[in-house]
Amino acid sequence: MEPGLEPNRRRELLRAAARLFVEKGFAATTTRDIAEAVGMRAGSPFYHFRSKQELLKAAMIEGLDSGLVRLLAAVDGVADPEICLRVLVRTHLGNLLEDDCRSPMLIYESRALDAADRAEVAAAFDRYQAPWQATLEQLAAIGRIDSAGPPKRLLMFGMLNGCSHWFRPGGALSVDELAEAAAAFVLGPQPSAQ
Amino acid sequence: MEPGLEPNRRRELLRAAARLFVEKGFAATTTRDIAEAVGMRAGSPFYHFRSKQELLKAAMIEGLDSGLVRLLAAVDGVADPEICLRVLVRTHLGNLLEDDCRSPMLIYESRALDAADRAEVAAAFDRYQAPWQATLEQLAAIGRIDSAGPPKRLLMFGMLNGCSHWFRPGGALSVDELAEAAAAFVLGPQPSAQ
DNA sequence: CCTACCGATCGGTAGG
DNA sequence: CCTACCGATCGGTAGG
């Protein structure tokens, strides 16, 4: 079996790299750590990726795009923008905290990339943000939130992504409860009883 | 002049280290970077600090404690909890974005420390959080926010600290405007016209 | 994808 | 605080 025709190993490397980059940070993770995590020898990751940076770039972009697929599937057919936001928040926290793809968190490692790679990652992050922006604009249009400007969206992502710094799965707080609290943060108090 | 009796150099090292750790991350910053930033040779920082980790720990703790001093000075004599929160937010964003002490951001580098150092840093962060917790509890007591539980506070710090990932001083958004938007996020819409 | 390896860098130290 | 240095580690490569 020719090694280059085995796409599973590439994906395994990507998953292991994403997990380690989130846990330890890009600079503190060695390519040997990543190799060991998938049962390879020290030099072998470089058969699949030209450099450590390319591993990071691929993990970020493929993680964001696969997270976006989940986002779009979750809100498919949801008309009410308030429900839509709650679903986006819950799914995003799933991307961040539950699956082994914690790539939304990796954007903060962009500084390790050069300008060209950073631009590619920024494009993937824009794609990921698109459904959020649409929902926030709908919420602003019906007066449910006061503004959908950039500060609102960026503050929101900071709040959501920051969760992976302190949230521990299996603790007193469930992801569902966390999603509820986070959505309430964005939406403010309920305007009417439900 | 004996080198050990010059406390200014120690402070210079701490400031340079804090700035570099925030910009590039702890692992990506070399002790040579720090030495160069204050005009020292490669080995000299180790005259002041036993290890790179100790530099990080000291930068975090002294940064948090000096930020706390500013926090307490800013809210001194402020009785209204809503105004108090706005002042805390504005001062915190100043600690984070304006002065060269951006230490509130450094808590996310705690993972580079061992358990004992991490506990010391956690204690400093608890001190920093105390006035926030008191203010949030007052706001909850008068019904201005719905809850002052841990998720609220942690979500809020995530939102605030995340700003240093995207906010650029001198851009279209001023720190005052950012503080306004962030405080509005925590407080929700105004209950009455002002 | 492994073996074997290299050049560079890095945290830290001895001695003054 | 500098000079001079060391051992370890790390990203990456050659050749198969």
Side-chain angles (χ1 to χ4, degrees):
Chain A
M1 178 165 14
E2 295 182 38
L5 301 176
E6 182 69 76
N8 273 14
R9 303 316 304 273
R10 193 192 132 95
R11 294 195 74 86
E12 282 176 51
L13 277 170
L14 241 27
R15 279 167 184 273
R19 197 181 325 116
L20 287 164
F21 289 158
V22 170
E23 271 171 33
K24 309 173 52 167
F26 174 75
T29 301
T30 69
T31 56
R32 281 164 170 82
D33 291 335
I34 298 167
E36 195 183 12
V38 298
M40 286 181 185
R41 298 307 179 101
S44 301
F46 296 99
Y47 175 77
H48 296 273
F49 297 93
R50 234 167 308 174
S51 67
K52 193 187 172 191
Q53 277 77 11
E54 202 193 287
L55 243 171
L56 174 62
K57 184 182 73 168
M60 291 172 76
I61 291 178
E62 296 185 26
L64 281 168
D65 282 339
S66 74
L68 175 59
V69 167
R70 276 179 234 161
L71 239 42
L72 294 175
V75 298
D76 185 51
V78 177
D80 182 65
E82 184 169 332
I83 297 176
C84 196
L85 184 79
R86 290 182 196 279
V87 172
L88 286 175
V89 166
R90 178 60 182 83
T91 309
H92 182 260
L93 290 177
N95 287 340
L96 194 66
L97 305 170
E98 289 175 334
D99 307 306
D100 37 19
C101 138
R102 307 212 289 168
S103 52
M105 198 55 206
L106 284 175
I107 20 167
Y108 301 132
E109 295 287 5
S110 290
R111 59 185 170 193
L113 299 176
D114 63 28
D117 285 350
R118 206 154 42 219
E120 283 186 61
V121 169
F125 191 50
D126 283 346
R127 292 193 291 275
Y128 192 87
Q129 288 193 331
W132 298 83
Q133 186 58 24
T135 302
L136 289 175
E137 278 165 12
Q138 287 177 50
L139 286 166
I142 62 172
R144 185 65 183 80
I145 61 174
D146 54 338
S147 151
K152 185 95 182 178
R153 196 180 69 252
L154 292 165
L155 287 168
M156 183 191 67
F157 274 113
M159 174 186 75
L160 294 174
N161 291 339
C163 291
S164 66
H165 281 127
W166 56 267
F167 182 82
R168 291 294 162 255
L173 191 71
S174 72
V175 179
D176 281 333
E177 289 166 334
L178 176 63
E180 189 63 30
F185 218 128
V186 180
L187 290 165
Q190 284 298 109
S192 59
Q194 52 179 6
Chain B
M1 176 164 17
E2 296 181 39
L5 301 177
E6 181 68 78
N8 274 13
R9 301 316 304 273
R10 194 192 131 94
R11 296 195 74 85
E12 283 175 51
L13 276 170
L14 242 27
R15 279 167 184 272
R19 197 181 325 116
L20 287 164
F21 289 158
V22 170
E23 272 171 33
K24 310 173 50 167
F26 174 75
T29 301
T30 69
T31 55
R32 282 164 168 83
D33 291 336
I34 298 166
E36 195 183 12
V38 298
M40 286 181 183
R41 297 308 179 101
S44 300
F46 296 98
Y47 175 78
H48 297 272
F49 298 93
R50 234 167 310 173
S51 66
K52 192 185 171 190
Q53 276 79 11
E54 202 192 289
L55 242 170
L56 173 61
K57 184 183 72 168
M60 291 172 75
I61 291 177
E62 296 184 26
L64 281 168
D65 283 340
S66 74
L68 175 59
V69 167
R70 276 178 234 161
L71 238 42
L72 293 175
V75 297
D76 185 51
V78 177
D80 181 66
E82 184 169 331
I83 297 178
C84 196
L85 185 79
R86 290 182 195 279
V87 171
L88 287 175
V89 167
R90 178 59 183 86
T91 309
H92 182 260
L93 290 176
N95 286 341
L96 195 66
L97 304 170
E98 289 175 334
D99 307 306
D100 37 18
C101 139
R102 307 213 289 167
S103 52
M105 197 55 206
L106 284 176
I107 19 166
Y108 301 133
E109 295 287 5
S110 291
R111 59 185 169 192
L113 299 176
D114 62 29
D117 285 350
R118 206 154 41 219
E120 283 186 60
V121 168
F125 190 50
D126 284 346
R127 292 194 291 275
Y128 192 87
Q129 287 193 332
W132 298 82
Q133 186 59 24
T135 302
L136 289 174
E137 277 166 11
Q138 287 177 52
L139 286 167
I142 62 172
R144 185 64 182 83
I145 61 173
D146 55 337
S147 151
K152 185 95 182 177
R153 195 179 70 251
L154 292 165
L155 287 168
M156 183 192 67
F157 273 113
M159 176 185 75
L160 294 174
N161 290 341
C163 290
S164 66
H165 280 128
W166 55 267
F167 181 81
R168 292 292 162 257
L173 191 72
S174 72
V175 178
D176 282 332
E177 290 166 333
L178 177 62
E180 189 63 30
F185 218 126
V186 179
L187 291 166
Q190 283 297 109
S192 59
Q194 51 180 5

